[in-house]
Amino acid sequence: MSTSFPDDDASPTPPPGCPAHGLGADGLGANGLRRLYGPEAEADPAGLYEKLRAEHGEVAPVLLHGDVPAWLILGHAANLAAMRTPSRFSRDSRRWTAFQKGEIAPTSPLMPVIAWQPLCVFADGDTHKRLRGAVTDSLNRFDRRGVRRYVTRFTDQLIQEFGPTGRADLVAQFAECLPMLVMTQLVGMPEEYGPKLVDAARDLMKGTETAVASNEYVVATLRRMMERKRVAPGNDLVTWLMQHEAGLTDDEVLEHLRVVLLAAHENTVNLISDTLKMVLTDKRFRAHLSGGQMTLPDALDQVLWDSPPMLLVAGRWATGDTELGGQQIKAGDMLLLGLAAGNVDPAVRPDLSEPLFGNRSHLTFGSGPHECPGQDIGRAIAETGIDILLTRLPDLEPAVPEDEFTWTSAWISKHLVELPVRFAPRTPEELAAVAVPTTPQTTPPSMPSTPPPSATPTATVSAPAPSAPTPATATAPESPVPQATVPRQRRGWWSLLTGRFRR
């Protein structure tokens, strides 16, 4: 049985027996559909997904901010169908009927996530192939051993800072620092840029009052790096994108660098935090890991199933009238990829307590033409960093009970705020004396094992970090608009997006 969206002007009373009948107003729109935003939805996203699954099956009608209708894909198979068939479900948000009708204001909180940009993540067909190919080819040139060397160096630096104290917050002092420090090296920045970019990324992702300025600092830094790499090329992502045969414009290079840098940071921060939280609090998990029955990659796979860094991805847009998960989807309808919901679909996981060692068929990194191109690097950073941390400080334990951990949630993600731990204090000499495995179980098998001669990234230009940011001025030409023009935004796309990630 299909569920159609009620007319915008109608406010029907749910019939007897309807799952919405008798429910309070909290979390429900005037038409009886459940909201994906607001206190109730953000307090227990997993509980909301299960209510929707019970009421509607694999695909559920929901309401976004402003009670704008959309479809949330809950089933594992239905998510894969949407991801893998761009001919039916496009990534180009300009197809959205709500844009056609002028129903989305420039100030809508949806705009940061769904406003079209000249990026591969919003493109289909030949345009997507050209942009995505440049990004993928460049990321694949990194030597996994070189990535591990950077992770090892920065992990040791971070542990040296808090090791003598015997206490740490592994979110603020470890997870939120490590990915950006590594990524600055892969991008080709001098090492002294790292701390400032870590601070800017933290500020940007938390949506503080200075997030716009932090975004402008990131953009200014990337622009200066592009100018320097044009004169002095290096073995790094900036150089490879600028020299790629796809012929990216400067604005296309800049925008893709920013997305890679910040998206890799945000997702890897969450992956590190959630994995450490599970290792430290789940007795079964810790016993398996320390007893040798589970490798660290297995541990991360379990977390990627249970706690994906992004709860959902918005979105896909129907290219024509179609059917998905028993629902009749209209051309121009918006669909949300339910990564967290699909990962716990009873059709693929009838028993959530069963471990999934070595199973990488989760939805966390997507599938199809828009599958995450940097997932191997993200995994390498998380696996190597956690491996070294647990080797250096094997007596780590939570400093507070698990029920005192706090989280922040938005409609697309959930974040651990703090992970306070304690351990026996160690001097820098004692930490340095602990041997780190030279052949860890942390290298992803799909990363290139034989890189090209230029694959080890090195910083070829040493210069002071920019002291004052300048706003982004990207003006990459837009591809033809299929149906509707997206309203102009009043603030930068990425600063708005990250302002909604964390509140």
Side-chain angles (χ1 to χ4, degrees), residues 19-20 23-29 32-65 72-74 311-312 336 338 340-342 344 409-412 414:
L23 293 174
D26 289 345
L28 294 176
L33 298 183
R34 294 190 182 275
R35 294 185 173 111
L36 281 188
Y37 67 98
E40 181 178 339
E42 294 171 5
D44 183 16
L48 173 61
Y49 301 154
E50 293 314 305
K51 289 179 182 178
L52 289 167
R53 198 193 309 273
E55 295 168 5
H56 301 286
E58 284 192 283
V59 180
V62 295
L63 297 175
L64 303 179
H65 300 78
L72 175 61
I73 308 176
L74 302 162
L311 300 177
L312 58 87
L336 310 171
V344 295
S409 296
W411 64 292
I412 58 176
K414 183 179 180 181

Side-chain angles (χ1 to χ4, degrees), residues 180 184 189-204 210-225 228 254 258 261-262 463-472 495:
M180 185 60 74
T184 56
M189 294 181 181
E191 190 165 326
E192 58 264 29
Y193 279 42
K196 290 184 178 181
L197 278 172
V198 167
D199 291 341
R202 278 178 174 173
D203 187 60
L204 183 57
T210 56
V212 173
S214 293
N215 177 63
E216 291 171 353
Y217 174 81
V218 172
V219 170
T221 303
L222 290 174
R223 283 196 182 279
R224 293 195 180 195
M225 287 306 304
R228 293 183 175 116
L254 172 67
R258 182 170 60 167
L261 195 66
L262 295 177
S467 58
T470 55
S495 62

Side-chain angles (χ1 to χ4, degrees), residues 33 80 158 221 228 263 274 294 324 331 342 485 502:
L33 298 183
L80 288 177
L158 294 171
T221 303
R228 293 183 175 116
D274 290 343
M294 178 192 294
L324 183 68
T485 301
R502 293 186 178 179

Side-chain angles (χ1 to χ4, degrees), residues 71-374:
W71 299 99
L72 175 61
I73 308 176
L74 302 162
H76 190 275
N79 269 289
L80 288 177
M83 293 173 181
R84 294 174 176 176
T85 52
S87 60
R88 294 171 60 202
F89 304 105
S90 170
R91 193 64 181 88
D92 193 330
S93 64
R94 296 171 297 179
R95 294 179 177 271
W96 196 13
T97 302
F99 282 153
Q100 269 192 328
K101 296 181 178 180
E103 296 173 346
I104 310 299
T107 55
S108 168
L110 300 175
M111 287 295 287
V113 181
I114 50 81
W116 182 89
Q117 295 288 312
L119 295 164
C120 64
V121 293
F122 285 104
D124 296 314
D126 291 341
T127 300
H128 173 263
K129 182 178 180 181
R130 181 179 75 89
L131 297 174
R132 164 84 179 209
V135 173
T136 302
D137 291 346
S138 299
L139 290 173
N140 284 344
R141 292 184 67 174
F142 286 117
D143 175 10
R144 59 186 178 183
R145 291 164 295 183
V147 173
R148 175 176 163 77
R149 285 195 296 271
Y150 287 130
V151 179
T152 301
R153 181 205 308 172
F154 291 119
T155 298
D156 282 340
Q157 289 180 10
L158 294 171
I159 296 173
Q160 290 280 356
E161 291 178 5
F162 58 74
T165 69
R167 303 184 74 88
D169 172 10
L170 293 182
V171 173
Q173 294 178 268
F174 187 75
E176 288 184 348
C177 300
L178 182 61
M180 185 60 74
L181 290 171
V182 175
M183 290 304 298
T184 56
Q185 296 303 293
L186 302 187
V187 168
M189 294 181 181
E191 190 165 326
E192 58 264 29
Y193 279 42
K196 290 184 178 181
L197 278 172
V198 167
D199 291 341
R202 278 178 174 173
D203 187 60
L204 183 57
M205 290 300 181
K206 291 179 179 178
T208 67
E209 293 180 355
T210 56
V212 173
S214 293
N215 177 63
E216 291 171 353
Y217 174 81
V218 172
V219 170
T221 303
L222 290 174
R223 283 196 182 279
R224 293 195 180 195
M225 287 306 304
M226 290 171 61
E227 293 170 3
R228 293 183 175 116
K229 294 301 179 182
R230 188 172 285 111
V231 176
N235 298 324
D236 50 66
L237 187 60
V238 175
T239 299
W240 296 334
L241 283 177
M242 292 175 65
Q243 295 180 348
H244 195 273
E245 62 183 5
L248 271 61
T249 66
D250 283 355
D251 288 325
E252 287 173 337
V253 171
L254 172 67
E255 293 301 325
H256 284 87
L257 282 171
R258 182 170 60 167
V259 167
V260 168
L261 195 66
L262 295 177
H265 173 78
E266 173 71 3
N267 288 322
T268 310
V269 166
N270 287 347
L271 179 56
I272 294 172
S273 298
D274 290 343
T275 302
L276 285 171
K277 182 258 181 187
M278 181 176 288
V279 168
L280 296 175
T281 60
D282 189 320
K283 294 181 179 179
R284 297 170 303 168
F285 188 93
R286 190 70 180 265
H288 280 306
L289 191 59
S290 62
Q293 301 175 43
M294 178 192 294
T295 67
L296 194 51
D298 289 339
L300 265 78
D301 282 324
Q302 188 70 46
V303 171
L304 289 168
W305 275 101
D306 295 337
S307 304
M310 303 296 291
L311 300 177
L312 58 87
V313 171
R316 296 294 189 273
W317 287 268
T319 59
D321 292 354
T322 187
E323 184 272 339
L324 183 68
Q327 303 286 15
Q328 299 303 312
I329 312 297
K330 298 294 184 182
D333 280 359
M334 178 182 180
L335 299 98
L336 310 171
L337 303 177
L339 307 183
N343 279 351
V344 295
D345 183 352
V348 295
R349 293 185 66 188
D351 183 356
L352 296 180
S353 66
E354 285 292 318
L356 295 162
F357 303 164
N359 187 333
R360 296 191 177 181
S361 59
H362 52 75
L363 302 173
T364 299
F365 295 125
S367 185
H370 288 278
E371 183 175 358
C372 176

